[in-house]
Structure formats: C-alpha cells, structure tokens
Amino acid sequence: MRQYELVDRVKAYNPHTDEALLNRAYVYAMRAHGSQKRASGAPYISHPLEVAAILTELKLDDATIVAALLHDTIEDTETTREEIDRLFGHDIGQLVDGLTKIQKLDLVSKKAAQAENLRKLLLAIADDVRVLLIKLADRLHNMRTLHFVPEGKRARISEETLEIYAPLAGRMGMQDLREELESLAFQHLMPDAYAAIRHRLDELGPKSGPLIERIENELTQKLAASGIKAQVKGRLKRAYSIWKKMERKSVSFEQLSDLFGFRVIVDSVADCYAALGIVHTTWSSVPGRFKDYISTPKQNDYHSLHTTVVGPGRQRVELQIRTREMDRLAEYGIAAHALYKDEATGQPSDGKVRESNAYAWLRRTVETLAEGENAEEFLEHTKLELFHDQVFCFTPKGRLIALPRNATPIDFAYAVHTDVGDTAVGAKVNGALVPLVSTLRNGDEVEIVRAEGQTPPSAWEAIVVTGKARAAIRRATRAAVRNQYSGLGQQIVERAFERIEKPYSEERLKIALPRLARTSIEDVFAAVGRGEMYSGDVVKAVYPDYREEQAAGAGANLAEGGWFGMKQGQGLVFKVPGAGDGAQENQSAIPIRGIGGDLPVQFAPNGGAVPGDRIVGILTPGTGITIYPIQSPALTAFDDQPERWLDVRWDIDEAHPQRFPAQLHVTVINEPGVLAQVATVIGESDGNIDAISITGKTADFREMIIDIEVWDLRHLSAIISQLKAKPVIHAVTRVNG
Ligand code: MN
C-alpha cells in the first residue's frame, strides 16, 4: 500500500475527501515514526498505512482514516495529544487519544486488572465507536503479520484476539472481520488442529470446486425460473468454524455433512421468503435448521433466513438468504451506520451510531458498568455477553457449566452427569419451573428435577445441541423404543379381549404362545405394537373356537371392534370425545401424550393433529400409531383395513407442555413485506414455524403452506384469527391432509 493508493481508495467512495489532510497526516506519521521498524523489518509507517487501508474497505470518514494513520504516534513517538489537536483538530485528537488509552490494555491476564482494563476499553469505544473500528483494523493487521513476531508473544495476542476482539467484532455485526480474526488466532493458538483441518480441506479442494459451481448454477436457475433474480455464492467453510463444530458436536471431520455454505442475495424481503419457498419445495429441508432472522433479527442487527437442505448430489447445503442491504449490514455491521450518509454535503458522520442495536448494547453495557461497584462481576457480565456463541450457567452449588448457545436444561443436565440427564423430568431456572425444552441464558442457575426410573423421550434428541446429550439420549431411547412397542401391543391386546367380553390373563396368553409361534408375551405385545401381528390373531390363538359372528349381537365385532361406529361419527359403539370436550373421556381408548411419551406415536404427515382435535389412531407397521384428526380425508385410505384403526384419546401432561404439528394454507396479497408479516404474526402469537413453502402464485396472490407447531387447538385457532385480522392476508385455512 502506498499513500497515493490510499487516497485513491478514499476518493472512490468519498468524492469530498480532504486529500491534503490525508497527505498531511501521512507525512506527519512517517516523520514521527522515523526509523522505527516493524518486527518484519519493514518501516513502521507501513503498519498505520495498512490499518487505514483496511478501514477504507468499511468506507469510513476522513477523521477515521487520519486517526488510523496517526494511531500509534502518541504511544510510540514524541507526539503529544496537544500537538495532534493543534494540527488535526479536536475530533481526530480524541480518536487518537482513545486508541492510545486502550493500546496497552492487557485483556487476558488472570489479574484483577483485567476487569478494569476491559472497562477502559468499553468506555473508550462507547464514547466514539470509530475508536473500536480503528482498534479492530489495527488488530487485524497485527494478526496478519503475527508470524514475524517472536513466538513467545504470539499466544497472548492470539488469545486476546479470540477472547475479546473477535467476539466484539461479531457483537458489532462485522462477520467477515470476525471470521478473519478467528481464523488467524486459531492458526497460532492451535497450529496442529489448524494444519489438520486445512489439510482435509485442501484434499476436498479439487472436488469441491465443481460441486459448488453446480449447486450455484442449479440454485440460480431454479430461482430464475420462478422469476427471482438472485446472486448465489458458495464457499467451503472456514477452518475455525469447522473446528468449532467438530468440538461442539463431538464429531469427526468425516461426519461433518455441511462443509458448504451458500449465500443467496435477492432484491427484496418478499423475494427472500419466496426463494426460501422454492428451495424448500425443490430439495428436502433438514428439520430444525430453519431460522428466521428477518422477522426476529439477532441482537447485532443481523438479518437473514437460514436453512439447510439436502441439495444436489445428496450434499447437505447450508443457505443464508438475504437482501443486498442485509448482506451489506452483515459485512459492515456497526460500521455501516458510521458511513457517509450525506454524499451531497460530505458531512462526516459523528461516529455516534444511535440507530443500531449493536450500539445500543454497547451503551447498555457501559451503563451497567457505571452503576456496578464490583469490577469482577462486571467482567463476568461483559465477557459472558461477548461470548454470544456460548452460555454459562451454574448448578445450585455454583459449579460453572459452559454450553453452546441455544442449549436447553436437558443439555445442562447431561453436562452435569449422564444419570442426571437420563432421569430429568423438569428444571428450575433461577428458582422458577421452566419447560425442559426452553433455552438457557447466560448466568442462569439451573436445578434439574429428577425422577428415578425415567427414560429420556427420543424427541429430546432433536432438541438438544450438545453431542454428549444426543449420544446419551440415543442410547437410552433405543431400549425405551422396544418397551414402547410392547406397551402399545399390550394395550391393543387387552382392549381386544374387553371388546369381545372374554376373560384375558397373561396365563391364558402364555398357553397360546406356540400357536402364535412366539416365545414370550413381550414378543407378542411387541409384534402387535409394531403392526406385524393383529390383535384378532391373538384372540383367536387364546380362544380357538371364538367366531366373529358371536360378538355381532354385542354391538362389536372382532375385526372392526367398535371403530366402525366411531368412524361414522354415529357414536353407537363408542363416542370419542377430543380432549377439548372435557368430561366424558373414553377411558378405554389408548392415551396419547405426544412425541416421546410411553407409546410410539407420530402425527398425520400432512396436517398434523393437536390436542382438542377429535382423533383416531392408525397402526402403521414399523412406526407405531399415526394420529389423524377425525375430519382428515387421508383416513379414507384405511377404510378397508379396519384392523389398523385404534381408539385413542388425548392425555396431555400439563407439567410438560409439548408442541404439536399443524399446517396452514395461507393466501396473501402479493406485495412486499407480506411474508415477513405472516411470520411476525405467527411468532408473536407464540407459534413455531417449521417450514414455509410457496405452492402457487398469481400476479395478485401468493399461496403457501406453513408448517407450524402449537400447544393446542385453541392456540391454533387464535393464530388463525390473528392472521385473518391482517388486511394483506386474504385467506387462512387449516390443512387436513
Ligand atoms: Mn498499531
């Protein structure tokens, strides 16, 4: 970098730049540093020049560029604050002074001074955020040239970068800067791990190029075919983010399926959701990976839709869908707010970026700092906030448990001990009972409520974020699943005997085992539960002389055993009230608790079922009971298989609320922002969106299917009413597939 190149760069984005001022600052810094040299042997001035150049990438104002050129003068030369003020003005003097104050702060030492140092750093940057921007550029250049620095000094600087500056960049929304800082620090702190991952990535290199290109092309064409102009850019993920994922999920490199990330840049928010719909209807999405940071932006102002799909060639592909403006924000973060706003007058921004969330965080932190008397408490608070990829929680005895972000009390329980996780039935966070599926926050004190003899529901596997919890749940549920099937089989068998009014006992069944070609009662139950054997066969094995006609007079026959009346809704044999009907529950029906209860249960694949619905069960070989709302047209497919119909009822556990799946068919007026409105309404009503797919569009309307999770029918109805209340939403109906 040469001085004239720097000036050219500034001119490119700021035609009103004061070229003479930039040149004066350069000449001043060069003279002040004189014959000083960098560790690389290069003249010292190369450093401030490169730092200024990095800041031109963020398109910052003259004061920031000039302060960057001067940033080490007070610290390292004879220069004084007064001299800077006199020659370059108060604004620039203050910036350089701010940088000087934080220059020698040791932010990673274990000493008590650390808290005070962090306090000074935050005070300096809260005063004028440009101080932070210059500091980050300074650190980036120092990290880029760290290999010239004596080895003994590298670890401390890298640690400080990874612990303080990279998270701070991320917290301020500057993702690219954060990634580069992390990557450089990782190389120096863990050279072996870095080299190993780098090596694997290089091996992938030749193969990944064409694959990335193919996915880019396919995605661009699919979107173009639907009239969406999109720019698709793919890349291999960074070594550090791969390493973190390997650590977090305790998996090997080979097991990592999503090594590729793709960015889809579109013109409008409406196009973001439309593109998402197309992606989801073209490839199958990976459950639990959809995140809507447009309707609910991250604290650092990050906006995007995230999803993962099984894309071309069965490759898992992570997608970030956003507008150009969102992309710019993700790259520049807080710096985007500090840019020249007014190109006509060329007025420099004052560095006080009031409108940004990230800056609001900074102000809040500094305010608590002003109130706080305990420096160490402040340090904990601030450092915790910085590490927004992790949460730190405590056991009631004060033991610190570090968990990845979005961790649940279940993860916490398994982090404490496998036995604690396996027997967890509830959690108290800061003294209040919360669902086990809630998200933990920094500083939470978590107490796990346990009950011996419990097994973790298999649904937890999809909820937890730690590898340890996932593996333990898988182990424990494998045994539980076997028990679920035999439990279901037992219920079906016992009811079959009740229905024909014949005595049943395990002794009688034991005698009939040879006729069923099974060796144990559990075997019989499991076979019935899995749908491999019909309850009618069991009845016939125990009572070989029993004939179906005999029971006909009693109002139930063996084969159809009562579901007939229920199916027709005549209520002749059994009436099956839904849970919402209250009092007259059919107690002989099989109780349905939800996913992960005592029985193998799933919900109608198209449309789901929620408590409050009148429901029937269909025994599905290999998967257990599938629950359908009674109005579901899909049920006609089972009309000729009466033996598969099961009489079921809701049995909701109030202490452990669960969400249930449902689908909405929504027709909206085609105008910008309408999809965001839909997402917002559902989010604000505490509904959980699983997926959105666009199923049709005309010039005036968009049709979409939304998969949501709700607590019950009342909740679902409330969401539907809320949606209908929006003028832009034309129609909303529940899907009964
Ligand atoms: Mn420097």
Side-chain angles (χ1 to χ4, degrees), residues 390-393 400-404 415:
Q390 274 188 300
V391 290
F392 296 89
C393 302
L400 179 73
I401 306 283
L403 294 164

Side-chain angles (χ1 to χ4, degrees), residues 44 47 71-72 103 138 142:
Y44 196 89
H47 167 64
H71 81 270
D72 280 330
Q103 203 68 283
D138 176 42
N142 285 337

Side-chain angles (χ1 to χ4, degrees), residues 183-194:
S183 181
L184 290 163
F186 176 50
Q187 278 173 51
H188 289 289
L189 277 178
M190 275 163 273
D192 294 344
Y194 175 78

Side-chain angles (χ1 to χ4, degrees), residues 249 287-289 291 403-412 414 435-440 456-471 473-474 477 594-597 656-660 688 690 709 711:
K249 304 207 162 157
R289 297 293 297 269
K291 296 267 157 52
L403 294 164
R405 198 155 59 100
N406 296 328
T408 63
I410 307 169
D411 291 293
F412 182 92
Y414 279 104
L436 280 170
V437 299
S438 44
T439 306
L440 293 176
S458 59
W460 281 6
E461 209 185 306
I463 294 162
V464 297
V465 298
T466 50
K468 186 180 180 197
R470 193 163 296 137
I473 293 163
R474 202 170 298 158
T477 51
I595 304 284
H656 306 103
Q658 274 197 39
R659 288 175 182 271
F660 294 84
N688 197 10
D690 262 345
E709 287 177 343
W711 301 112

Side-chain angles (χ1 to χ4, degrees), residues 33 38 44 47-48 51 68 71-72 76 99 103 134-135 137-139 141-142:
H33 287 294
R38 295 274 289 165
Y44 196 89
H47 167 64
V51 172
H71 81 270
D72 280 330
D76 294 343
L99 282 152
Q103 203 68 283
I134 299 167
K135 182 65 200 174
D138 176 42
R139 179 51 59 107
H141 184 244
N142 285 337

